[in-house]
Structure formats: structure tokens, C-alpha cells
Amino acid sequence: MKKAALAILIILAATSCKFLEFRSGDKVVAEVGGKKLYESEIKSLIPPGKSPQDSIMMLQQYINNWALKHLLLEKAENELSKTDKDVEQELEDYRTSLLMYRFEKMFIDQRLDTLITEQECRDYYEKNSPNFVLDNSVVKARFAKISNNSPNLEKLRRGYKASSIEDIDEFERLCYSSADKYNNFGNEWTDIAMIAREVPYDVQTLEREIRSSSAVEVKDSLYTYLVYFHEKILPDQIAPFEYYLPGIKQIILSKRKQELISTLEQNLIREALDNNHLKTNINK
């Protein structure tokens, strides 16, 4: 398939370009401003199974993009002023930033302690608990979406507010066989915005609903949506430790990285001064 598409493309290119050349047997498929695109450079672009027509369209798009890059560069070279074309400082600044970033990353990767205990996280949580006030409710919930034509709809409506382990298990088994979608969100604390994505309610409407009830049932022309909130913490309250645990770990890791970089920078300055490698002339 690839060979057929390439052959067709090359024939098309040959009809519009009189200067196709060979590079050790490699065919030129496009040329602009003295720049040449060779068959060997585009062979891998066509996924297996593509029709010749689709393959040609993909290759033509690639050639157009390739040509456009060179045409824009050509225009820039011809029409920009000498000052605008002077990018040496920008390139040097980029090279400097890139090398610094790569060295700092290597330095951190070699020294960063990634082991974070739960106690460290709890200590951080308790020390900074005023920062963990919720904007949205967080909940533990289970959700089911059932076709209005399902023969088990009424059974699910009766069972979605179950509280005993046995009844919850029975409800889940019925959901797996009858519901179009079921989710218990891993029995973990979840932002209510995640629940709102599953039902025909926005976050504000769902917030109002759960203030007065732990169960929400809503219906549209095709489906019935059942949500039961077996635990909830409303906005302006402090979120539970478990909800913020992943984020706290990232915060602690980030602080450790910043401490490593700060230590590196201080040591570099001190060593350079001690070795007279860094000299300053500041009047005090």
C-alpha cells in the first residue's frame, strides 16, 4: 500500500516539476527554493492499511507543510531587517537556559529523596490546614446511569441508597448487568464537579441539591441518573487529609527540589569566592 501511494505521488510530482533528481537512487518528491524533499524522508509517514487516496492526501499535506516552512523562512530572510534577523543573543540565551535546566535536573535526580512518609504529610496538613478550605463540596458517592426502558430500573431506584455491605454489593451487581454506566469513584473523596459531569446538572445545581439531601435522582428523555452521597463535606469547610494527600506529596517534593537548588546555588557562590574564581568589586 505504501509503495502504491508513493508511486502515485511521485508521478503527480513529476508532472509539476521538471527538475526531479536522484540522490543515490533516492527520488525527489518536492522541491522549493533549492531545498529538496526525498522519498526516503516520507516513506514512514503512511500508516499500514491506508487506502492509496488517503495516503496521497496525508503525503500532500506533509509536503505542503514542508514547503510552507521553507517559503516562510525564505520570506523572512528576504524581508526582515538585518537587526530583526540577528537572533544570536536569543539563541545563546536559550542554549544557556536549556543547559542550566538540564544540569539542575540531573543534580536533582541524583540527590532527591522521593520517600515521603504519611506522617510527614499529616504534619504538613495539620500545620497548613487553613489553606485546605474547600471551594466545592467533596464527596464519596456512587452513580448509575440507566436507560428509561431498562426492566431493572425500579430495582435500581430502590437500591441506590443502600447502606449495608450486602445491599451495596447487590446494587453494584445489578448495575454491572443493567446500567449503561456505573461509578463509585474508587470509594475515595471526589470533587463534586466530577459528579456533575455525569448528570444533567451543573455544579451549582448539584451543590444546592446535596445541601438538603444525600440522594439525587434526575431523568431526561433517555436515561435516569441516580447518585447517592454517603459522605460529603460542603464548601468553606476543611477537606479531609486523604483528599489532599496526593497534592501534599507533590508540595513536599517540590519544596525538597527547591531546597536542593538553593543549596547548589549557595555552594557554587561560596566555592567560587573561596577559590577566587568569582571576584567582586563592590564598595561598602
Side-chain angles (χ1 to χ4, degrees):
M1 190 68 71
K2 287 186 178 181
K3 290 182 179 179
L6 284 171
I8 294 170
L9 181 63
I10 291 166
I11 291 170
L12 292 174
T15 62
S16 60
C17 179
K18 299 179 181 179
F19 305 102
L20 295 181
E21 298 176 358
F22 290 87
R23 183 180 63 181
S24 300
D26 202 359
K27 296 184 180 71
V28 176
V29 295
E31 180 177 349
V32 60
K35 303 291 184 182
K36 296 179 176 65
L37 180 66
Y38 290 88
E39 179 183 342
S40 61
E41 299 176 85
I42 62 174
K43 277 185 176 179
S44 62
L45 296 178
I46 308 173
K50 285 285 183 183
S51 68
Q53 186 177 16
D54 289 342
S55 300
I56 291 173
M57 289 178 62
M58 290 180 61
L59 291 170
Q60 190 62 63
Q61 184 61 52
Y62 179 85
I63 290 172
N64 289 345
N65 292 337
W66 172 87
L68 185 59
K69 179 183 72 172
H70 290 292
L71 290 168
L72 284 171
L73 180 59
E74 189 177 88
K75 279 287 186 183
E77 292 284 4
N78 292 334
E79 298 188 18
L80 288 177
S81 68
K82 183 177 180 180
T83 301
D84 288 336
K85 288 191 289 185
D86 184 4
V87 296
E88 292 300 322
Q89 187 59 54
E90 286 94 333
L91 290 174
E92 182 59 30
D93 290 344
Y94 176 72
R95 178 179 181 275
T96 299
S97 297
L98 186 59
L99 290 177
M100 290 171 58
Y101 166 78
R102 289 183 176 179
F103 172 73
E104 288 177 351
K105 184 177 184 303
M106 179 189 72
F107 183 88
I108 290 171
D109 289 346
Q110 291 174 347
R111 295 164 176 80
L112 181 64
D113 179 9
T114 57
L115 179 63
I116 301 174
T117 66
E118 183 174 313
Q119 188 58 50
E120 286 180 274
C121 294
R122 285 194 178 277
D123 291 344
Y124 183 91
Y125 172 79
E126 292 171 4
K127 183 178 180 180
N128 297 276
S129 57
N131 297 326
F132 298 131
V133 175
L134 293 167
D135 294 321
N136 293 339
S137 295
V138 295
V139 297
K140 289 186 178 181
R142 51 182 175 266
F143 154 80
K145 174 183 174 182
I146 310 102
S147 169
N148 292 332
N149 297 322
S150 172
N152 289 318
L153 175 59
E154 287 307 312
K155 287 183 180 179
L156 290 168
R157 289 183 68 248
R158 291 195 298 270
Y160 80 102
K161 293 180 280 189
S163 57
S164 71
I165 295 176
E166 294 79 6
D167 289 343
I168 293 171
D169 286 344
E170 177 60 29
F171 171 74
E172 289 187 337
R173 281 195 295 271
L174 196 56
C175 280
Y176 290 135
S177 63
S178 303
D180 285 69
K181 190 171 184 180
Y182 174 72
N183 197 346
N184 65 2
F185 306 95
N187 287 316
E188 296 180 349
W189 290 104
T190 304
D191 192 302
I192 198 171
M194 296 291 292
I195 315 296
R197 295 176 188 173
E198 304 287 0
V199 298
Y201 275 163
D202 58 25
V203 174
Q204 292 74 22
T205 303
L206 202 53
E207 288 280 17
R208 289 195 297 271
E209 289 286 332
I210 70 168
R211 285 183 181 274
S212 58
S213 175
S214 292
V216 172
E217 181 176 337
V218 59
K219 186 175 183 178
D220 61 22
S221 60
L222 297 176
Y223 298 101
T224 295
Y225 305 83
L226 306 172
V227 191
Y228 184 68
F229 303 93
H230 46 97
E231 292 187 67
K232 55 186 176 182
I233 301 176
L234 300 178
D236 298 324
Q237 299 183 39
I238 295 175
F241 167 72
E242 293 79 9
Y243 178 71
Y244 276 112
L245 180 57
I248 290 173
K249 287 182 177 180
Q250 290 303 313
I251 291 171
I252 293 173
L253 272 181
S254 180
K255 288 171 67 70
R256 289 180 183 178
K257 290 178 182 179
Q258 290 302 317
E259 289 168 0
L260 281 171
I261 293 299
S262 179
T263 300
L264 168 65
E265 292 171 348
Q266 293 171 20
N267 289 343
L268 286 174
I269 294 293
R270 185 176 62 253
E271 290 172 7
L273 289 171
D274 291 345
N275 297 330
N276 207 31
H277 187 51
L278 170 63
K279 302 174 183 178
T280 62
N281 185 21
I282 302 175
N283 296 323
K284 295 184 179 180

